[in-house]
Amino acid sequence: MTDKITVDVDPDLHVIRDEYSPEDWQSETTSIGSSLYRGLMENGRRYQSLKSDEYCFPADERQFETYDAAHLAALIVDSDEENLLFQSPLAPKNVLDIGTGKGSWAIDVADMFPNAAVRGVDLFPPPVSWMPPNCVLEVDDVLQEWTWREKFDLIHLRIMASAFTPSETEKLMKQIYDCLEPGGWIEQMEIHPTIYCDDDSIPHDNVLFDIGPRFDAAANKSGKPMDLIKTMRATTERAGFVEVHEKNVKWPIGPWPRDKTLKELGSVNLHHWLTGMEGYTMYLMTKFGSPTPWSPEEVQVYNARMRKELMNPRHHSYQRAKRVWARKPFADEKTEHRVD
């Protein structure tokens, strides 16, 4: 793996500065160059610049707000669970959060387990102003060789849609398997943008039913699929994990459900969609839209149509989410256990 760059938090991260003086970074670790903070600007959005192979979604303040909403939605979904952050049955000591984004999950886990060492890693410096002492956020490419010395007992991934090609996913899963302790756990949570409706409250020709297929077509054209909820369990099993668990959930979009928890989830998820539409669509559609790449103006018009329909209180829409967690077998374990 390339030399890791540990994030020292900049409380004024929302200001993208051209250069930093030595006083800006007082740390024993390597500071992050200003080019990483500036990122790559395209169509008014900022993307990571650690590697030339761009990630399809932005790394800017608006997108981090979107990720925060998704994090809160995931907590609400599991509000009836004793542990809202993960379902793997352990009190972890050494945790890795891949694709940490703003670091919300890693920070929460570090708070919940103060004796655990928690690492979050992503391609762009997270804009956080405080972290627990047992949490560190790093900028790195997880597709390179891993150089962390101690093995982990929990490795977490969330919303990795369109992050990797299928071969890269297989490579990543092998590294996760090899770098987990025997008996350690992998846990992944994914959502998919295809919109469903069970009560015909949305006309069949509505634009809401268009977004999922369009996303999948563009993502497949990019070589980095988005439909991970269809493949993540099989990918986990192929990597050699056992005791594989799966949880499927519907995320309502909007506060239309009668159930109090689902109503709250729908409200948060609607915010997730409204803040995230441009970030989720702009790169994919201007690069890989069908039948030809779209202009930024076409993306904006499409997003305006989507937002209008998403906010229609008569529309009972939802999307699907899946959580998969599984264990690395012990050395003397002969039989694989599959748990639905």
Side-chain angles (χ1 to χ4, degrees):
M1 184 179 274
T2 56
D3 291 339
K4 291 186 285 292
I5 307 173
T6 302
V7 174
D8 293 306
V9 178
D10 178 5
D12 297 318
L13 183 59
H14 59 281
V15 179
I16 304 175
R17 292 173 283 186
D18 289 334
E19 59 186 18
Y20 292 90
S21 65
E23 306 86 60
D24 288 329
W25 299 90
Q26 297 296 330
S27 173
E28 297 175 355
T29 58
T30 306
S31 63
I32 296 175
S34 60
S35 62
L36 284 182
Y37 276 114
R38 287 198 303 270
L40 302 172
M41 299 301 298
E42 186 171 328
N43 296 318
R45 302 303 297 265
R46 181 180 63 198
Y47 297 81
Q48 65 81 23
S49 60
L50 180 64
K51 51 189 291 189
S52 58
D53 181 17
E54 293 182 9
Y55 181 42
C56 293
F57 304 135
D60 57 20
E61 286 72 17
R62 279 183 286 171
Q63 196 68 14
F64 286 127
E65 180 182 355
T66 298
Y67 294 152
D68 259 354
H71 177 61
L72 179 55
L75 296 180
I76 296 171
V77 164
D78 288 323
S79 59
D80 59 342
E81 300 284 352
E82 183 178 352
N83 182 349
L84 306 185
L85 297 169
F86 57 86
Q87 299 303 302
S88 300
L90 80 163
K93 297 298 182 184
N94 197 15
V95 182
L96 177 64
D97 182 31
I98 294 175
T100 196
K102 192 175 178 180
S104 301
W105 185 91
I107 290 170
D108 284 354
V109 170
D111 273 339
M112 178 177 286
F113 299 95
N115 294 323
V118 182
R119 293 179 181 271
V121 61
D122 212 324
L123 293 172
F124 190 85
V128 292
S129 57
W130 177 88
M131 286 186 297
N134 59 324
C135 182
V136 60
L137 303 181
E138 298 176 347
V139 177
D140 207 348
D141 179 4
V142 294
L143 293 178
Q144 301 300 315
E145 182 182 355
W146 291 13
T147 57
W148 293 298
R149 296 174 183 175
E150 295 185 7
K151 289 185 179 294
F152 301 96
D153 54 4
L154 175 62
I155 296 181
H156 174 261
L157 308 90
R158 184 171 66 186
I159 310 182
M160 306 304 294
S162 298
F164 307 114
T165 67
S167 62
E168 288 172 343
T169 297
E170 298 291 337
K171 177 182 178 181
L172 176 61
M173 293 299 290
K174 183 181 184 304
Q175 294 215 92
I176 291 173
Y177 185 92
D178 291 343
C179 292
L180 273 171
E181 294 180 349
W185 290 80
I186 179 177
E187 184 152 343
Q188 183 171 3
M189 195 282 288
E190 298 292 338
I191 55 177
H192 191 270
T194 293
I195 291 178
Y196 300 89
C197 175
D198 293 340
D199 62 2
D200 295 325
S201 62
I202 306 176
H204 295 293
D205 60 350
N206 193 280
V207 68
L208 294 177
F209 295 128
D210 177 78
I211 187 68
R214 282 201 182 275
F215 265 126
D216 279 338
N220 290 339
K221 189 183 292 187
S222 78
K224 298 178 178 181
M226 183 169 286
D227 57 349
L228 299 185
I229 64 172
K230 297 179 181 178
T231 60
M232 56 196 288
R233 176 172 183 143
T235 302
T236 301
E237 291 176 343
R238 281 199 304 274
F241 290 96
V242 299
E243 203 173 333
V244 182
H245 303 255
E246 177 181 316
K247 182 178 181 179
N248 293 280
V249 183
K250 295 178 180 180
W251 283 24
I253 307 172
W256 57 265
R258 294 182 179 179
D259 178 83
K260 181 179 179 181
T261 300
L262 292 178
K263 183 181 291 291
E264 182 181 10
L265 171 60
S267 296
V268 172
N269 195 27
L270 176 61
H271 181 69
H272 170 240
W273 275 82
L274 296 179
T275 59
M277 277 297 301
E278 182 181 283
Y280 286 139
T281 56
M282 186 60 73
Y283 180 92
L284 277 175
M285 296 309 172
T286 57
K287 301 292 185 181
F288 306 105
S290 296
T292 59
W294 297 10
S295 69
E297 293 74 22
E298 288 174 317
V299 176
Q300 297 288 11
V301 170
Y302 182 81
N303 287 342
R305 293 175 59 205
M306 282 291 301
R307 292 189 185 98
K308 179 181 178 181
E309 298 301 325
L310 286 169
M311 295 182 68
N312 188 328
R314 296 188 297 272
H315 290 167
H316 299 167
S317 59
Y318 68 90
Q319 65 186 125
R320 298 185 184 276
K322 177 178 290 188
R323 182 184 297 273
V324 170
W325 62 104
R327 179 174 58 81
K328 179 176 178 177
F330 295 99
D332 59 351
E333 195 167 357
K334 301 294 184 181
T335 304
E336 294 188 351
H337 304 284
R338 305 297 182 198
V339 180
D340 292 326

